[in-house]
Amino acid sequence: MKALVYHGPNQKSWEEVPNPQIQKPTDVIVKIETTTICGTDLHILKGDVPAVTVGRVLGHEGVGTITEVGSAISNLAVGDRVILSCVSACGRCDYCKTGLFSHCLGEEGASGIGWIFGHLIDGTQAEYVRVPYAETSVYKVPEGVTAQEGTLLSDILPTGHEIGIQYGAVKAGDVVAVVGVGPIGLAVVTTAQLYGPARVIAIDVDANRLEQAKAFGATDGVLSTDADWKEQVLALTDGLGVDVAIEAVGIPQTFVMVLEMVRPGGHVANVGVHGKGVELPLDSLWISNITITMGLVNTNTTGTLLKLVAQKKLAVDKFVSHTFALHDIEEAYDVFSRAAETKALKVILNA
């Protein structure tokens, strides 16, 4: 089969690799119908995720059709169309039993890490993929949900919802600021609407993305390159700062920004994937009574979000800015990596 293979920092290629095989009774093989590229894939290509080794097939999102099932599989069958969760869960360990699937203790990849596709085992940017722990790691695609919509439920929507909105404890009437309104930031903006915030302030270096964010539910936009960006944000609150400040970029400068704009007693939720450390000024923060959260998505709300998408109560098609054939994935990476020029949000790859 063909797959997108990592060959070290800034090196990748669409090439022939062996077809995946059933390795364990709980596996299935899925023929990929639709996949996409994530900002995390770009971090991998920058060398920010050293656990990804040369020869790894990238990708952790997608929808496809089951072509083969392991001997222990009972509630999935050949021909089922499924959403592949970006986090794999054995369903049996202590963490899985509490819904902390991101730290599944199963033996696939590395015990204690639930994100294994395109990270510790071969991923979904391929014609076929082996799916471990299939019965607890995929969702059947309901009637009325497209492959494109399903792919967006693999990662960005649950990530934005869980790590941004739920960890940030967004509630009705809150003023929420989202720093970085790329695809993940827009997923935060979109799922924030489920909780009734008074304002959602989008903050970005790109004026185009600020305009796009308003179509996803942002009430206001602030250019972070403006010298008075902080004053603009404070003017949209009562002057004391935002209730919830959400970082969705993954660089030190943007984490500093969220610390500067959150009010005493507020919440800071870090969603971005950081490739280097960030200084935490506890000498001044300790007195502010703020809560700082961070984490890897558990995908424990994917089922709920899937119901909302199926009932057309959560519109997600507008996330897709470009579509490509799967074999044009290297071109898709180029477009996605130059989002400021190409105005790319999510690029969808169809097999």
Side-chain angles (χ1 to χ4, degrees):
M1 71 169 185
K2 288 287 192 76
L4 197 282
V5 180
Y6 174 72
H7 289 291
N10 302 310
Q11 297 180 67
K12 64 188 182 310
S13 68
W14 178 248
E15 61 189 63
E16 283 197 5
V17 299
N19 283 1
Q21 304 293 323
I22 295 284
Q23 296 180 18
K24 296 175 183 174
T26 51
D27 290 350
V28 301
I29 304 297
V30 170
K31 184 180 190 300
I32 290 294
E33 179 181 341
T34 299
T35 187
T36 186
I37 302 168
C38 181
T40 303
D41 297 320
L42 300 185
H43 279 284
I44 290 170
L45 285 169
K46 289 177 185 175
D48 288 347
V49 190
V52 180
T53 55
V54 170
R56 177 69 61 227
V57 175
L58 297 181
H60 51 266
E61 302 157 275
V63 166
T65 301
I66 295 175
T67 59
E68 190 177 351
V69 299
S71 59
I73 298 294
S74 60
N75 66 3
L76 296 170
V78 171
D80 285 347
R81 293 177 70 239
V82 293
I83 298 166
L84 307 179
S85 176
C86 66
V87 166
S88 302
C90 75
R92 302 177 64 181
C93 71
D94 286 348
Y95 285 134
C96 284
K97 287 176 181 177
T98 60
L100 197 66
F101 304 134
S102 58
H103 293 282
C104 172
L105 295 170
E107 60 184 13
E108 285 284 344
S111 181
I113 300 176
W115 168 42
I116 56 176
F117 277 141
H119 178 209
L120 303 174
I121 69 170
D122 287 340
T124 62
Q125 290 169 7
E127 294 177 326
Y128 292 85
V129 61
R130 178 181 74 91
V131 182
Y133 313 129
E135 292 192 333
T136 46
S137 301
V138 305
Y139 296 81
K140 292 181 182 180
V141 180
E143 193 170 335
V145 173
T146 67
Q148 181 169 286
E149 291 171 329
T151 299
L152 297 170
L153 286 159
S154 288
D155 183 356
I156 65 165
L157 283 168
T159 294
H161 179 231
E162 294 170 24
I163 307 305
I165 302 306
Q166 288 194 328
Y167 276 29
V170 173
K171 61 186 184 300
D174 277 352
V175 176
V176 178
V178 182
V179 180
V181 284
I184 287 289
L186 292 175
V188 174
V189 171
T190 297
T191 55
Q193 312 307 314
L194 301 172
Y195 295 80
R199 284 185 184 272
V200 176
I201 306 167
I203 304 170
D204 203 285
V205 297
D206 185 349
N208 172 64
R209 282 199 160 172
L210 295 181
E211 285 307 306
Q212 289 177 325
K214 291 178 182 177
F216 289 78
T219 55
D220 306 275
V222 172
L223 269 174
S224 56
T225 51
D226 288 349
D228 66 342
W229 70 265
K230 183 178 175 182
E231 288 72 24
Q232 291 181 50
V233 171
L234 293 179
L236 295 169
T237 73
D238 52 12
L240 298 179
V242 301
D243 299 289
V244 185
I246 300 172
E247 199 280 348
V249 180
I251 59 174
Q253 299 95 309
T254 48
F255 190 78
V256 170
M257 289 176 68
V258 292
L259 295 179
E260 289 183 359
M261 71 178 75
V262 68
R263 68 190 298 133
H267 285 74
V268 168
N270 182 87
V271 185
V273 176
H274 288 262
K276 60 175 65 176
V278 177
E279 183 176 345
L280 191 65
L282 283 175
D283 55 332
S284 56
L285 281 180
W286 75 269
I287 203 168
S288 298
N289 296 73
I290 64 170
T291 299
I292 301 176
T293 60
M294 63 202 72
L296 173 62
V297 63
N298 289 304
T299 66
N300 56 9
T301 67
T302 302
T304 298
L305 296 172
L306 178 56
K307 290 177 183 176
L308 293 171
V309 170
Q311 293 298 316
K312 310 304 180 188
K313 294 183 178 177
L314 196 60
V316 297
D317 271 343
K318 58 182 178 287
F319 278 91
V320 178
S321 60
H322 296 72
T323 57
F324 295 87
L326 181 57
H327 58 75
D328 290 328
I329 190 168
E330 292 187 273
E331 181 186 352
Y333 260 94
D334 176 62
V335 168
F336 185 64
S337 68
R338 295 185 295 109
E341 302 169 47
T342 63
K343 300 182 180 179
L345 293 178
K346 288 298 278 186
V347 300
I348 288 290
L349 297 143
N350 296 308

